[in-house]
Amino acid sequence: MKHFYLQIKLILNREDERFLTKLFFLALLVSLVETVGIAAIMPFISIATDLSVIDNNIYYNYIFNFFNFSNKINFIVSFGVLLVFFYIFRSLLNVYFVYKNSEFYHGKYYKTAVRLFDIYMNMKYEDFMTKNTSFLTKSIITETQILSNILHSLLMIFSEIMVFLFIFIIFLFVDYKVTLILILFLILLSLIMFKLVSKTIKQKGSERAIFQAKFYEIISKGFNNYKILKIDSDKDNLVSEFDDTGKKYSRSMVVDSVLNSLPRSILEAISFS
C-alpha cells in the first residue's frame, strides 16, 4: 500500500495535489448529500401513510408548530416540495462532481501522455534504437489511460466509503450491537475475498499487459513492413498471430472484469439478504 501511495504521489505535481484535495472535499460533500437523500425519503413515506405521526413525533410536531402550518396536508405538500428541490440539488451536485472528476483524470491522461512523448523524443538516438516502439506506444496510449482510470476509481471509492460511513453512523444510533456485528462480518468477508482474488487479479493484469504489448507490436510490424507483406505470403501468418493474441487479450480482460466486480456483487448479495 505504501509503495502504491508513493507511485501515485510521484506522478502528481503540486497543482494536481491541490486539485485532488478539492475533489476529495467535494466527494465528501456528495457523500453527505447522498446519505441525507437516502435517509430523508423514509420520514416522508411514514408521514404520508400515517398523518398521526406528526402529532406523535416530537420532531415533526415541533417543525409543524414552528412554521405554523394550517393543516397536515400543507405540511406533507411542503415536505414533498422540499424533497423535490433537494433531489434536484443532489442531481446537479452529482453532475458537477462527475464533471470535475472527469476534468481531472482526462486532463491527467493528456498531461502524462505529453510528458512521456516528450521524454521519448529527447532520448539519445542510441538508447531509442534499443527500445521496442510498440511498447513505447502502449505506454503513451494505454498505460497512461489505465493510470488515469485508477485516479478516477480512487475518487469514486472514497465517495462510496464516505456514504457507507455516514449510513453506518446512522445505523449505530438505531441499533449499535447489530450494526457492529454486521460490520465485523463484512470486514472479515472482505479480507477473505481480497486474499482469494487479489493474486489472480495481479496475474491477469500482467497477462493483459503482455498481450496488449504484443497487439501493438504486431500492428507496428504489419504497418512498417507493409510493402514486403504485400509481396510475401507471410501476411496471413501475421493476421493469424494477431487473431490469436486478440483472443488471449480479450479472454484476460473478461476474467479481469469478472474478478473485479465479484467482491462487490458478493457483498451486495449478502447485505441485502
Side-chain angles (χ1 to χ4, degrees):
M1 182 63 73
K2 185 179 178 181
H3 178 65
F4 175 74
Y5 170 75
L6 291 175
Q7 284 184 319
I8 293 295
K9 192 171 178 62
L10 186 65
I11 61 172
L12 298 176
N13 55 37
R14 290 283 182 86
E15 184 183 351
D16 292 331
E17 289 178 1
R18 285 195 294 267
F19 199 110
L20 199 57
T21 302
K22 291 178 182 178
L23 276 179
F24 274 117
F25 279 110
L26 182 60
L28 187 63
L29 176 62
V30 169
S31 304
L32 182 60
V33 171
E34 285 288 340
T35 307
V36 173
I38 295 170
I41 194 66
M42 292 309 297
F44 178 76
I45 293 174
S46 65
I47 294 172
T49 54
D50 186 5
L51 294 177
S52 63
V53 173
I54 299 173
D55 298 319
N56 299 329
N57 187 288
I58 56 172
Y59 301 107
Y60 299 155
N61 189 257
Y62 174 79
I63 295 171
F64 182 86
N65 293 322
F66 182 81
F67 289 100
N68 196 26
F69 284 101
S70 58
N71 56 67
K72 295 177 182 178
I73 298 299
N74 288 341
F75 179 79
I76 295 173
V77 171
S78 300
F79 194 176
V81 170
L82 181 64
L83 274 182
V84 169
F85 279 107
F86 173 79
Y87 283 118
I88 291 173
F89 167 73
R90 188 190 70 165
S91 299
L92 293 174
L93 183 63
N94 274 305
V95 170
Y96 180 71
F97 175 65
V98 170
Y99 166 73
K100 299 304 288 185
N101 192 0
S102 299
E103 182 183 33
F104 174 73
Y105 80 85
H106 283 304
K108 193 60 191 172
Y109 166 70
Y110 133 74
K111 290 177 182 177
T112 307
V114 171
R115 183 180 172 188
L116 282 175
F117 186 70
D118 181 59
I119 291 172
Y120 295 152
M121 288 295 97
N122 285 285
M123 289 175 66
K124 292 181 179 179
Y125 181 77
E126 295 81 5
D127 294 333
F128 183 81
M129 293 306 294
T130 62
K131 304 292 183 182
N132 187 329
T133 55
S134 61
F135 278 88
L136 300 183
T137 304
K138 183 177 78 73
S139 297
I140 293 174
I141 298 174
T142 306
E143 300 303 327
T144 304
Q145 181 66 61
I146 292 173
L147 171 65
S148 302
N149 289 339
I150 289 173
L151 294 174
H152 168 70
S153 298
L154 285 174
L155 279 169
M156 299 310 295
I157 289 170
F158 175 76
S159 180
E160 293 292 333
I161 289 174
M162 288 299 101
V163 172
F164 173 78
L165 287 176
F166 287 138
I167 294 175
F168 170 69
I169 292 170
I170 293 173
F171 282 171
L172 279 178
F173 283 103
V174 176
D175 192 331
Y176 73 93
K177 291 182 179 178
V178 174
T179 303
L180 289 175
I181 292 172
L182 179 62
I183 293 301
L184 289 174
F185 172 72
L186 290 176
I187 291 173
L188 180 62
L189 184 63
S190 299
L191 289 173
I192 293 172
M193 285 191 296
F194 177 77
K195 287 289 184 182
L196 294 175
V197 176
S198 60
K199 288 184 179 179
T200 309
I201 290 177
K202 288 181 181 179
Q203 180 187 345
K204 293 301 175 183
S206 299
E207 289 179 6
R208 176 204 59 78
I210 293 170
F211 294 141
Q212 198 168 52
K214 188 69 174 176
F215 230 49
Y216 282 103
E217 186 178 349
I218 296 171
I219 292 171
S220 179
K221 181 180 176 182
F223 290 162
N224 291 335
N225 300 286
Y226 189 75
K227 288 183 179 179
I228 299 173
L229 289 170
K230 288 296 285 183
I231 301 171
D232 190 12
S233 60
D234 193 50
K235 62 178 178 296
D236 293 330
N237 293 330
L238 192 66
V239 173
S240 177
E241 185 182 2
F242 187 75
D243 178 66
D244 182 60
T245 304
K247 285 179 182 177
K248 291 177 180 178
Y249 172 67
S250 176
R251 203 174 298 121
S252 67
M253 287 299 294
V254 169
V255 174
D256 183 69
S257 298
V258 171
L259 288 174
N260 276 296
S261 64
L262 187 62
R264 179 176 180 175
S265 299
I266 293 174
L267 285 173
E268 286 180 349
I270 293 174
S271 299
F272 283 109
S273 61

